[in-house]
Amino acid sequence: FVVSGICLSIKMKTTNIRNLCILAHVDHGKTTLADSLVASNGIISSRLAGKLRYLDSREDEQIRGITMKSSAISLHFPLGMNEYLINLIDSPGHVDFSSEVSTAVRLCDGAIVIVDAVEGVCPQTQVVLRQAWLENIRPVLVINKIDRLIVELKLTPQEAYIHLKKILEQVNAVTGTLFTSKVMEERAEKESEKQGPYENSGGEQIYDWSAGLEDTDDSHLYFSPDQGNVVFASAIDGWGFSIHQFAQIYSQKMGIRVEVLLKTLWGDFYLNAKAKKIMKGAQSKGKKPLFVQLVLDNLWSLYDAIVMKRDKEKVEKMVASLGVKVAARDLRHSDPKVLLSAVCSQWLPVSQAVLTMVCEKLPSPLDVASERVEKLMSVGARRFDSLPERTQELKKAFLECSNEDAAPVIVFVSKMFAVDSKALPQNKQRPLTQEEIAQRRELARQRHAERLAANQVSENPDGLSAEMEVLKSEPDKEESKEHFVAFARVYSGVVRRGTKVFVLGPKYDPAQALKMLPEGCSSADALPSVPHMSCCTLDSLYLLMGRELEELEEVPSGNVLGIGGMEEWILKSATISTSPACPPFTPLNFEATPIVRVAIEPKHPSEMPRLVKGMKLLNQADPCAEVLIQETGEHVLVTAGEVHLQRCLDDLRERFAQIEISASKPIIPFRETVIRRPKVDMVNEELGKQQKVAVIHQSKEEQYKYPEGVQVDSSGLVTLTTPNKMATIGVRAMPLPEEVTQLLEANGSLIRTMEQFSLSMKEGKALEINQRTLESIQDFKGKLESHLQGRKWRDAVNRIWSFGPRRCGPNLLLNNLESYQRPSVWQCLEGERVPGTALRDFDNSIISGFQLATLSGPMCEEPLMGVCLSVERWDMKLPSLGSHQDSMDGEEKVSDGDSKQKAAQEPWGAAEAYGSHNKRWPDVSVDCYGPFSGQLIAAMKEACRHAFQHQPQRLMAAMYTCEIMATAEVLGRVYGVLSKREGRILQEEMKEGTDMFIIKAVLPVAESFGFADEIRKRTSGLASPQLVFSHWEVVSSDPFWVPTTEEEYLHFGEKADSSNQALKYMNGVRKRKGLYVEEKIVEHAEKQRTLGKNK
C-alpha cells in the first residue's frame, strides 16, 4: 500500500495529524470529494475519482448511490516543509443514518461541511452543523457543484457571485443562531448562580438578550473566503480553489502584494485599471467585483470554450497559457467533460485546495479545547468539578495528548462495525516465494500418489469421499464468520498490541470504583469485580484504509484506528483505559429516534436460533438499530426509517443470520388519550340543541356499557368495588394540558431519578443527588406548576402520587383523598423527610394498578399519553377478627395470621386510619403482598380504564416532519401525494436565486411507508423527502362515532359510510394484537331489482 509506510513514520508526530469528517446533506457530493482526496495519494486513479465512490464499499451503497455508513481512510499530504497525516472519515447525509454521523463526529477535531451551490443550505446541512457544534469541533466549508451554476442554471459570473454570497450568508446564519443560543444559555446559568438555587427575585425580570453577545468574539466562527476557511469546488470535474491560490497567481502577474489581494479578492472591491489600484464600492459604482473579474470570468470562459461551444482553437490557447499538459486522446475525446477534468485537475486540483485548507485551518489533536474535554468527561448531570480528583487529573493527559509510556491510555470506541473474516489482514493471501511454491508442488504430488494408492486398496470409496466432504465443509464455516472491528480514537498514551485494559461501560462510575479498588492498581492485577467495568487484552490493531485494513503493532495518541476482537466486551460504544479513574465519555447525540418497528421471524421455524444470533450481531453492528423481544414473544427490530430498515433486513438475510426471514408490516406506535368534551358535533352544530333521532339500539348499548359493580356518576367519577367487597375505589380521568404532556415526555430521566430517590427513602437508604440535577428538578416542578393553573388543578403538583407508564411516562396519578397525606414525589427537594406522612398499606397496589392501566389502554392496548387519573375515594373495610370467616376466603385467613409477624416490622404499622373510617385495628396488620393486593391492583386498573372510557377518547398518531425540495413544475404532484396520505402542509418557500421550493409538512408515520418512493416516481426523481420523527398528534376523529342527530344522518347517511381514519388505525392495531374487532361483513344484503322485473 502506498500510504502504510508513510503513515507509520508520521504517527509519532501529533502536531501533524488531522482527524476530520465530511458532513453534508444527502447528494451534495461528500463521497465524490473524498474520491478526489483519495486519488491524490494514488490509491485510486484520478480518472476514476468521482465515478468509483471508493469509500462506499457496500453493494447497496453503490446501487442506491447514497452512503449508509461512515468509513475512514488515512492520507498523507506534504505541505511546505511539513508532512501531514490526514485521517478522513466519510459520513452519510441521509437522515436515516444520522447516527453514523454522530459516531464519526465524536472521533474528529474538525469537519469539512459541503454545501451544494444550487440547493444551498438544506435541512440536513443544519443538522450536521448542529452536530459539529455540539461536539465542539471546528468546521471548514466547501461550496461544491459550482459547475451546475454554469451548465444548468446558466448564470452569468456576476449573478453567480451574488448567489454564492447568499449561500455563505445562509451557512453563517445557522452558525450564528447556534452561537447566540450558547451565549444566552451561559448567561442564564450565571444569573441563576448569582440568585442562588431556589431564590426567585421579586418583580419581573427584564432581559436584554443582546447583552453578552457584544462582549464575546465570534469572528472565528464564521465562514469567509478571506479567512481561508472556504473552498469553491466542483468535485466531479476535479477542480477546487481557495482565494489564496488566486492571490498568489495574480500577485506575480500584477505586482500587488498577496496580503492585499487576500483581503480584497472577496468583497465589494474592484480594480481601477487607469489608476492601477484596488478600490472599494464596486456595487455602488456598477463595477465588476474583483472575485468576478479575476476568478469567475476565467472559469466561465473555460467552461464556455470546452463544454458549451467546443471551440478547439480557443481550448488549445487556454491550455498553452495555463501551462497544462493534456494528452492527445483527451483532446480528441467525444465527451467534453473528460477534457475539462484533464485541464482543471492540473490547473486547480481540488485535493490540493481542500487538504491545504484542512492542514492550515483545522486543529491538531493537541489543540483540543479544555471545554470539550470537560464536556466529554462529565457524564449525565455530573459536573466536571464534582468528579473524583484522580479523574480530574486525567484532563491534563487529554490536553497533552502525550505518547510517553507513563501516560494513561484513553481510547473511545464510537461504534462497532462488522468485517468479513476474509477482509482481515491476517487472513489475506500474500504472494508466495519460489521456495514455498516448490514445497506446495511437492506436497500436492505426494497427496496425489497417496490418493491413487488408497483408491486401489480400498473397495469402499465412500469413506474417503465423506472425509473429503468434511474437509471441504470446514473452511466454508470459517469463511462465513463475521468479525467485529471497533471504530476508535486514541486520546492519550500509546496503544500497543497485547496491552491489558479496562473496558468501561456507559454507566460506569469512577467514584464508586476507586473506593472498591486498591490504590495504584492496574488492569493486569487480579481485581474485585466492579459494576460496568471489565478487563481485556487488545488483540489486534488496524489502520483503517477505506475497504482495506492494515495491521499495526502500536498506535500513538491522536489517531483513529480499528481494534479487533472486542465484540465480547463492547456492545455499541465504550471507553477503554488503563486507568480505573477514567470516566466513561458522554453518550453520543443521536439526531434520529428509531421509530419504525417490524416483527421478524424465520421462514423455517427450526432456524430460530440462527435468527436470534443474527439479530444480536446486527444490534452490535448498527449504532441506531434496536432489537427487542416483545411481551408477545415477537422479535422486533426498531430502525430510524424505511431505507435504514431495508438495509438492516438485507444485512440479516445475507450476513448475520444467513437465512430466509419474513418481516411483518411495520408496527406503527399509537398512543391513547382523552380530550375535553367537544362543544359541536360532526356537522358543526352545537351539541344538545338539535333534536336527537330515536336510535333504540344505541341507547341499549349505553345501558350495558359498564359491567356489574361499576358505578359512574354524572360528573365522570367511576366507583368500583373489589370482588371480596373489602375495598372501594373512585377514579376520575381528565385530559392534561398539551404543554404538561410535552414537559413530562421531555423530562423522563429526571422523573426516573426522583422515583429512585423515593424508593431508596422507602428502604431507609439515602441516595445522593448532585446539585445540578436538583436544580433541574426544581425547574421542572416550577414549569409544571406554571402550566397546571386553574381551579381544578389547585395544588395538583404537590398531590402527584405517581407518573406512568413505567413510573416515568407522560401520565399523572393524583391523590385527591382528603384523609390520606402520603410522602411527596418531590421529597428529594425537601431534604429531610417530613415526619407523620406515612405510606398507607396497599399504596403500592394502587400505583401498580395505575401503571398497568397506563401501559395498555382500553382502545387498542397501546400506552396512554396526556391523561390525569385522580383517585377521589379509597375505602377499606377490614373485618374484625371474630366475624371475618364468612366474608373471606381460606387463603386470606392465612394471610391475616402471617401478618402478625409483619406488624412488628412495619415502621408505621397498619394502625393508621383506613380511608374515611377512622377506626383502629390494634391486632390486625395487612399482608401487602397477599391475594387481596392482587384484587386491589385489578380493581384499580379496571377503574382507571372505565374512567378513561367515560371521557371522549382519541388516538394519538406519531408524526414525521417532512421536508421536500422540489422544482415548481412538480409542486402539484407533491401536494397530491401529501394530501392522499393525510399530510398537512406547514409552509412553502422559494429558495432565492433558484427555481427550488422548500415544502415543510407533517405526515403520520402510519402513512409514510412507500412515501419517498411514490414521490420520486410521481415527480420523476425531481423531489426527494427527508422524514424525521417530530411529535405525537391527536387524530381528530372519534373512533367510536356513529351518527345520532338528523343533520348527521342527512350528511353522513345511516351507516356513516365515509371512512373513519381513527377507527381504521384502531382496528388495524387490534387485528395485529389478536383483539376482538367489531366488523360487519355484509349488512342488509338484498337482491338488485331491475326496472324490467318491477313492472
Side-chain angles (χ1 to χ4, degrees), residues 600-615 635 652-653 656-662:
I600 294 178
E601 54 184 33
K603 281 268 170 71
H604 308 293
S606 59
E607 293 177 325
M608 196 67 192
R610 286 181 73 179
L611 176 72
V612 174
K613 191 181 168 198
M615 286 183 81
H635 288 264
L652 260 183
R653 283 192 193 102
F656 300 128
Q658 293 180 335
I659 54 170
E660 280 295 302
I661 57 172
S662 55

PDB file of all heavy atoms in Angstrom, residues 600-615 635 652-653 656-662:
ATOM      1  N   ILE A 600     -39.951  -9.862  13.204  1.00  0.00           N
ATOM      2  CA  ILE A 600     -39.189 -10.704  12.279  1.00  0.00           C
ATOM      3  C   ILE A 600     -39.277 -12.156  12.724  1.00  0.00           C
ATOM      4  O   ILE A 600     -39.188 -12.449  13.919  1.00  0.00           O
ATOM      5  CB  ILE A 600     -37.718 -10.245  12.248  1.00  0.00           C
ATOM      6  CG1 ILE A 600     -37.651  -8.855  11.646  1.00  0.00           C
ATOM      7  CG2 ILE A 600     -36.847 -11.191  11.453  1.00  0.00           C
ATOM      8  CD1 ILE A 600     -36.291  -8.265  11.608  1.00  0.00           C
ATOM      9  N   GLU A 601     -39.489 -13.038  11.755  1.00  0.00           N
ATOM     10  CA  GLU A 601     -39.438 -14.473  12.080  1.00  0.00           C
ATOM     11  C   GLU A 601     -38.795 -15.219  10.917  1.00  0.00           C
ATOM     12  O   GLU A 601     -38.835 -14.750   9.774  1.00  0.00           O
ATOM     13  CB  GLU A 601     -40.835 -15.001  12.371  1.00  0.00           C
ATOM     14  CG  GLU A 601     -41.844 -14.728  11.287  1.00  0.00           C
ATOM     15  CD  GLU A 601     -43.247 -15.198  11.666  1.00  0.00           C
ATOM     16  OE1 GLU A 601     -43.599 -15.158  12.860  1.00  0.00           O
ATOM     17  OE2 GLU A 601     -43.964 -15.619  10.747  1.00  0.00           O
ATOM     18  N   PRO A 602     -38.167 -16.369  11.200  1.00  0.00           N
ATOM     19  CA  PRO A 602     -37.546 -17.122  10.099  1.00  0.00           C
ATOM     20  C   PRO A 602     -38.608 -17.844   9.275  1.00  0.00           C
ATOM     21  O   PRO A 602     -39.679 -18.183   9.801  1.00  0.00           O
ATOM     22  CB  PRO A 602     -36.642 -18.115  10.836  1.00  0.00           C
ATOM     23  CG  PRO A 602     -37.206 -18.230  12.202  1.00  0.00           C
ATOM     24  CD  PRO A 602     -37.957 -16.982  12.501  1.00  0.00           C
ATOM     25  N   LYS A 603     -38.316 -18.077   7.995  1.00  0.00           N
ATOM     26  CA  LYS A 603     -39.273 -18.817   7.134  1.00  0.00           C
ATOM     27  C   LYS A 603     -39.456 -20.231   7.680  1.00  0.00           C
ATOM     28  O   LYS A 603     -40.544 -20.774   7.673  1.00  0.00           O
ATOM     29  CB  LYS A 603     -38.724 -18.877   5.698  1.00  0.00           C
ATOM     30  CG  LYS A 603     -38.927 -17.585   4.910  1.00  0.00           C
ATOM     31  CD  LYS A 603     -40.236 -17.615   4.124  1.00  0.00           C
ATOM     32  CE  LYS A 603     -40.595 -16.274   3.527  1.00  0.00           C
ATOM     33  NZ  LYS A 603     -39.780 -15.847   2.430  1.00  0.00           N
ATOM     34  N   HIS A 604     -38.334 -20.841   8.144  1.00  0.00           N
ATOM     35  CA  HIS A 604     -38.401 -22.193   8.714  1.00  0.00           C
ATOM     36  C   HIS A 604     -38.175 -22.087  10.210  1.00  0.00           C
ATOM     37  O   HIS A 604     -37.104 -21.646  10.641  1.00  0.00           O
ATOM     38  CB  HIS A 604     -37.330 -23.084   8.090  1.00  0.00           C
ATOM     39  CG  HIS A 604     -37.372 -23.066   6.595  1.00  0.00           C
ATOM     40  ND1 HIS A 604     -38.419 -23.592   5.873  1.00  0.00           N
ATOM     41  CD2 HIS A 604     -36.513 -22.536   5.685  1.00  0.00           C
ATOM     42  CE1 HIS A 604     -38.206 -23.390   4.585  1.00  0.00           C
ATOM     43  NE2 HIS A 604     -37.050 -22.744   4.445  1.00  0.00           N
ATOM     44  N   PRO A 605     -39.176 -22.467  11.013  1.00  0.00           N
ATOM     45  CA  PRO A 605     -39.067 -22.267  12.473  1.00  0.00           C
ATOM     46  C   PRO A 605     -37.813 -22.902  13.082  1.00  0.00           C
ATOM     47  O   PRO A 605     -37.327 -22.443  14.105  1.00  0.00           O
ATOM     48  CB  PRO A 605     -40.332 -22.944  13.009  1.00  0.00           C
ATOM     49  CG  PRO A 605     -41.291 -22.924  11.873  1.00  0.00           C
ATOM     50  CD  PRO A 605     -40.491 -23.019  10.621  1.00  0.00           C
ATOM     51  N   SER A 606     -37.275 -23.945  12.437  1.00  0.00           N
ATOM     52  CA  SER A 606     -36.099 -24.616  13.009  1.00  0.00           C
ATOM     53  C   SER A 606     -34.877 -23.675  13.029  1.00  0.00           C
ATOM     54  O   SER A 606     -33.911 -23.926  13.738  1.00  0.00           O
ATOM     55  CB  SER A 606     -35.759 -25.863  12.196  1.00  0.00           C
ATOM     56  OG  SER A 606     -35.504 -25.485  10.850  1.00  0.00           O
ATOM     57  N   GLU A 607     -34.945 -22.603  12.231  1.00  0.00           N
ATOM     58  CA  GLU A 607     -33.772 -21.710  12.139  1.00  0.00           C
ATOM     59  C   GLU A 607     -33.836 -20.546  13.130  1.00  0.00           C
ATOM     60  O   GLU A 607     -33.079 -19.595  13.027  1.00  0.00           O
ATOM     61  CB  GLU A 607     -33.664 -21.152  10.718  1.00  0.00           C
ATOM     62  CG  GLU A 607     -33.338 -22.227   9.713  1.00  0.00           C
ATOM     63  CD  GLU A 607     -33.296 -21.725   8.271  1.00  0.00           C
ATOM     64  OE1 GLU A 607     -34.093 -20.827   7.933  1.00  0.00           O
ATOM     65  OE2 GLU A 607     -32.481 -22.253   7.513  1.00  0.00           O
ATOM     66  N   MET A 608     -34.743 -20.664  14.110  1.00  0.00           N
ATOM     67  CA  MET A 608     -34.909 -19.582  15.094  1.00  0.00           C
ATOM     68  C   MET A 608     -33.607 -19.224  15.819  1.00  0.00           C
ATOM     69  O   MET A 608     -33.284 -18.042  15.960  1.00  0.00           O
ATOM     70  CB  MET A 608     -35.985 -19.990  16.106  1.00  0.00           C
ATOM     71  CG  MET A 608     -36.500 -18.836  16.915  1.00  0.00           C
ATOM     72  SD  MET A 608     -37.416 -17.710  15.852  1.00  0.00           S
ATOM     73  CE  MET A 608     -37.597 -16.329  16.912  1.00  0.00           C
ATOM     74  N   PRO A 609     -32.821 -20.219  16.282  1.00  0.00           N
ATOM     75  CA  PRO A 609     -31.572 -19.852  16.982  1.00  0.00           C
ATOM     76  C   PRO A 609     -30.633 -19.009  16.114  1.00  0.00           C
ATOM     77  O   PRO A 609     -29.990 -18.086  16.605  1.00  0.00           O
ATOM     78  CB  PRO A 609     -30.926 -21.207  17.311  1.00  0.00           C
ATOM     79  CG  PRO A 609     -32.030 -22.194  17.247  1.00  0.00           C
ATOM     80  CD  PRO A 609     -33.031 -21.677  16.288  1.00  0.00           C
ATOM     81  N   ARG A 610     -30.610 -19.310  14.821  1.00  0.00           N
ATOM     82  CA  ARG A 610     -29.729 -18.537  13.930  1.00  0.00           C
ATOM     83  C   ARG A 610     -30.227 -17.099  13.797  1.00  0.00           C
ATOM     84  O   ARG A 610     -29.443 -16.159  13.720  1.00  0.00           O
ATOM     85  CB  ARG A 610     -29.653 -19.197  12.553  1.00  0.00           C
ATOM     86  CG  ARG A 610     -28.803 -20.462  12.573  1.00  0.00           C
ATOM     87  CD  ARG A 610     -28.713 -21.106  11.230  1.00  0.00           C
ATOM     88  NE  ARG A 610     -27.866 -20.359  10.311  1.00  0.00           N
ATOM     89  CZ  ARG A 610     -27.631 -20.749   9.061  1.00  0.00           C
ATOM     90  NH1 ARG A 610     -28.160 -21.873   8.611  1.00  0.00           N
ATOM     91  NH2 ARG A 610     -26.860 -20.035   8.275  1.00  0.00           N
ATOM     92  N   LEU A 611     -31.560 -16.942  13.792  1.00  0.00           N
ATOM     93  CA  LEU A 611     -32.126 -15.590  13.703  1.00  0.00           C
ATOM     94  C   LEU A 611     -31.760 -14.789  14.956  1.00  0.00           C
ATOM     95  O   LEU A 611     -31.352 -13.628  14.869  1.00  0.00           O
ATOM     96  CB  LEU A 611     -33.653 -15.644  13.553  1.00  0.00           C
ATOM     97  CG  LEU A 611     -34.330 -14.268  13.561  1.00  0.00           C
ATOM     98  CD1 LEU A 611     -34.034 -13.520  12.273  1.00  0.00           C
ATOM     99  CD2 LEU A 611     -35.821 -14.365  13.757  1.00  0.00           C
ATOM    100  N   VAL A 612     -31.908 -15.436  16.123  1.00  0.00           N
ATOM    101  CA  VAL A 612     -31.612 -14.741  17.394  1.00  0.00           C
ATOM    102  C   VAL A 612     -30.151 -14.305  17.409  1.00  0.00           C
ATOM    103  O   VAL A 612     -29.820 -13.170  17.751  1.00  0.00           O
ATOM    104  CB  VAL A 612     -31.920 -15.666  18.597  1.00  0.00           C
ATOM    105  CG1 VAL A 612     -31.468 -15.016  19.902  1.00  0.00           C
ATOM    106  CG2 VAL A 612     -33.407 -15.971  18.648  1.00  0.00           C
ATOM    107  N   LYS A 613     -29.265 -15.207  16.963  1.00  0.00           N
ATOM    108  CA  LYS A 613     -27.831 -14.888  16.945  1.00  0.00           C
ATOM    109  C   LYS A 613     -27.574 -13.748  15.946  1.00  0.00           C
ATOM    110  O   LYS A 613     -26.840 -12.803  16.227  1.00  0.00           O
ATOM    111  CB  LYS A 613     -27.053 -16.143  16.542  1.00  0.00           C
ATOM    112  CG  LYS A 613     -25.559 -15.997  16.747  1.00  0.00           C
ATOM    113  CD  LYS A 613     -24.830 -17.257  16.320  1.00  0.00           C
ATOM    114  CE  LYS A 613     -23.342 -17.007  16.237  1.00  0.00           C
ATOM    115  NZ  LYS A 613     -22.638 -18.002  15.470  1.00  0.00           N
ATOM    116  N   GLY A 614     -28.224 -13.843  14.773  1.00  0.00           N
ATOM    117  CA  GLY A 614     -28.055 -12.816  13.742  1.00  0.00           C
ATOM    118  C   GLY A 614     -28.514 -11.453  14.217  1.00  0.00           C
ATOM    119  O   GLY A 614     -27.886 -10.431  13.940  1.00  0.00           O
ATOM    120  N   MET A 615     -29.645 -11.430  14.983  1.00  0.00           N
ATOM    121  CA  MET A 615     -30.155 -10.139  15.462  1.00  0.00           C
ATOM    122  C   MET A 615     -29.236  -9.539  16.523  1.00  0.00           C
ATOM    123  O   MET A 615     -29.080  -8.326  16.612  1.00  0.00           O
ATOM    124  CB  MET A 615     -31.581 -10.292  15.990  1.00  0.00           C
ATOM    125  CG  MET A 615     -32.570 -10.458  14.840  1.00  0.00           C
ATOM    126  SD  MET A 615     -34.273 -10.573  15.342  1.00  0.00           S
ATOM    127  CE  MET A 615     -34.735  -8.891  15.596  1.00  0.00           C
ATOM    128  N   HIS A 635     -39.920 -11.165  17.906  1.00  0.00           N
ATOM    129  CA  HIS A 635     -38.616 -10.499  17.831  1.00  0.00           C
ATOM    130  C   HIS A 635     -38.802  -9.240  17.007  1.00  0.00           C
ATOM    131  O   HIS A 635     -39.176  -9.311  15.839  1.00  0.00           O
ATOM    132  CB  HIS A 635     -37.583 -11.412  17.167  1.00  0.00           C
ATOM    133  CG  HIS A 635     -37.185 -12.537  18.057  1.00  0.00           C
ATOM    134  ND1 HIS A 635     -36.074 -12.501  18.845  1.00  0.00           N
ATOM    135  CD2 HIS A 635     -37.788 -13.721  18.315  1.00  0.00           C
ATOM    136  CE1 HIS A 635     -36.000 -13.612  19.542  1.00  0.00           C
ATOM    137  NE2 HIS A 635     -37.029 -14.366  19.239  1.00  0.00           N
ATOM    138  N   LEU A 652     -29.370  -8.800   7.707  1.00  0.00           N
ATOM    139  CA  LEU A 652     -29.766 -10.019   8.433  1.00  0.00           C
ATOM    140  C   LEU A 652     -29.786 -11.214   7.490  1.00  0.00           C
ATOM    141  O   LEU A 652     -29.272 -12.287   7.806  1.00  0.00           O
ATOM    142  CB  LEU A 652     -31.172  -9.840   9.014  1.00  0.00           C
ATOM    143  CG  LEU A 652     -31.276  -9.470  10.487  1.00  0.00           C
ATOM    144  CD1 LEU A 652     -32.729  -9.402  10.884  1.00  0.00           C
ATOM    145  CD2 LEU A 652     -30.565 -10.469  11.378  1.00  0.00           C
ATOM    146  N   ARG A 653     -30.379 -11.012   6.300  1.00  0.00           N
ATOM    147  CA  ARG A 653     -30.508 -12.127   5.352  1.00  0.00           C
ATOM    148  C   ARG A 653     -29.147 -12.593   4.854  1.00  0.00           C
ATOM    149  O   ARG A 653     -28.873 -13.781   4.787  1.00  0.00           O
ATOM    150  CB  ARG A 653     -31.343 -11.691   4.144  1.00  0.00           C
ATOM    151  CG  ARG A 653     -32.811 -11.651   4.432  1.00  0.00           C
ATOM    152  CD  ARG A 653     -33.632 -11.505   3.157  1.00  0.00           C
ATOM    153  NE  ARG A 653     -35.003 -11.174   3.520  1.00  0.00           N
ATOM    154  CZ  ARG A 653     -35.527  -9.956   3.456  1.00  0.00           C
ATOM    155  NH1 ARG A 653     -34.800  -8.954   3.039  1.00  0.00           N
ATOM    156  NH2 ARG A 653     -36.784  -9.748   3.813  1.00  0.00           N
ATOM    157  N   PHE A 656     -25.636 -11.640   8.693  1.00  0.00           N
ATOM    158  CA  PHE A 656     -25.596 -12.026  10.099  1.00  0.00           C
ATOM    159  C   PHE A 656     -26.331 -13.335  10.385  1.00  0.00           C
ATOM    160  O   PHE A 656     -25.830 -14.172  11.111  1.00  0.00           O
ATOM    161  CB  PHE A 656     -26.157 -10.894  10.969  1.00  0.00           C
ATOM    162  CG  PHE A 656     -25.373  -9.618  10.828  1.00  0.00           C
ATOM    163  CD1 PHE A 656     -25.989  -8.411  10.544  1.00  0.00           C
ATOM    164  CD2 PHE A 656     -23.999  -9.626  10.977  1.00  0.00           C
ATOM    165  CE1 PHE A 656     -25.257  -7.241  10.416  1.00  0.00           C
ATOM    166  CE2 PHE A 656     -23.256  -8.458  10.845  1.00  0.00           C
ATOM    167  CZ  PHE A 656     -23.888  -7.270  10.563  1.00  0.00           C
ATOM    168  N   ALA A 657     -27.544 -13.490   9.848  1.00  0.00           N
ATOM    169  CA  ALA A 657     -28.275 -14.731  10.123  1.00  0.00           C
ATOM    170  C   ALA A 657     -28.112 -15.710   8.969  1.00  0.00           C
ATOM    171  O   ALA A 657     -28.110 -16.928   9.167  1.00  0.00           O
ATOM    172  CB  ALA A 657     -29.746 -14.417  10.354  1.00  0.00           C
ATOM    173  N   GLN A 658     -27.985 -15.213   7.754  1.00  0.00           N
ATOM    174  CA  GLN A 658     -27.841 -16.009   6.525  1.00  0.00           C
ATOM    175  C   GLN A 658     -28.956 -17.040   6.392  1.00  0.00           C
ATOM    176  O   GLN A 658     -28.727 -18.206   6.115  1.00  0.00           O
ATOM    177  CB  GLN A 658     -26.469 -16.693   6.489  1.00  0.00           C
ATOM    178  CG  GLN A 658     -25.352 -15.661   6.352  1.00  0.00           C
ATOM    179  CD  GLN A 658     -23.984 -16.279   6.314  1.00  0.00           C
ATOM    180  OE1 GLN A 658     -23.793 -17.368   6.825  1.00  0.00           O
ATOM    181  NE2 GLN A 658     -23.040 -15.607   5.728  1.00  0.00           N
ATOM    182  N   ILE A 659     -30.188 -16.592   6.665  1.00  0.00           N
ATOM    183  CA  ILE A 659     -31.355 -17.463   6.491  1.00  0.00           C
ATOM    184  C   ILE A 659     -32.456 -16.636   5.831  1.00  0.00           C
ATOM    185  O   ILE A 659     -32.376 -15.415   5.769  1.00  0.00           O
ATOM    186  CB  ILE A 659     -31.885 -18.000   7.848  1.00  0.00           C
ATOM    187  CG1 ILE A 659     -32.170 -16.818   8.810  1.00  0.00           C
ATOM    188  CG2 ILE A 659     -30.936 -18.984   8.462  1.00  0.00           C
ATOM    189  CD1 ILE A 659     -32.908 -17.210  10.051  1.00  0.00           C
ATOM    190  N   GLU A 660     -33.473 -17.341   5.347  1.00  0.00           N
ATOM    191  CA  GLU A 660     -34.642 -16.658   4.788  1.00  0.00           C
ATOM    192  C   GLU A 660     -35.480 -16.119   5.952  1.00  0.00           C
ATOM    193  O   GLU A 660     -35.842 -16.877   6.852  1.00  0.00           O
ATOM    194  CB  GLU A 660     -35.475 -17.645   3.979  1.00  0.00           C
ATOM    195  CG  GLU A 660     -34.938 -17.896   2.580  1.00  0.00           C
ATOM    196  CD  GLU A 660     -34.998 -16.638   1.719  1.00  0.00           C
ATOM    197  OE1 GLU A 660     -36.108 -16.115   1.559  1.00  0.00           O
ATOM    198  OE2 GLU A 660     -33.946 -16.179   1.254  1.00  0.00           O
ATOM    199  N   ILE A 661     -35.782 -14.833   5.938  1.00  0.00           N
ATOM    200  CA  ILE A 661     -36.627 -14.296   7.013  1.00  0.00           C
ATOM    201  C   ILE A 661     -37.847 -13.613   6.420  1.00  0.00           C
ATOM    202  O   ILE A 661     -37.832 -13.190   5.273  1.00  0.00           O
ATOM    203  CB  ILE A 661     -35.861 -13.279   7.891  1.00  0.00           C
ATOM    204  CG1 ILE A 661     -35.308 -12.127   7.036  1.00  0.00           C
ATOM    205  CG2 ILE A 661     -34.782 -13.922   8.694  1.00  0.00           C
ATOM    206  CD1 ILE A 661     -34.718 -10.995   7.850  1.00  0.00           C
ATOM    207  N   SER A 662     -38.899 -13.554   7.224  1.00  0.00           N
ATOM    208  CA  SER A 662     -40.059 -12.786   6.756  1.00  0.00           C
ATOM    209  C   SER A 662     -40.326 -11.696   7.792  1.00  0.00           C
ATOM    210  O   SER A 662     -40.315 -11.964   8.997  1.00  0.00           O
ATOM    211  CB  SER A 662     -41.284 -13.687   6.604  1.00  0.00           C
ATOM    212  OG  SER A 662     -41.533 -14.359   7.803  1.00  0.00           O
TER     213      SER A 662
END
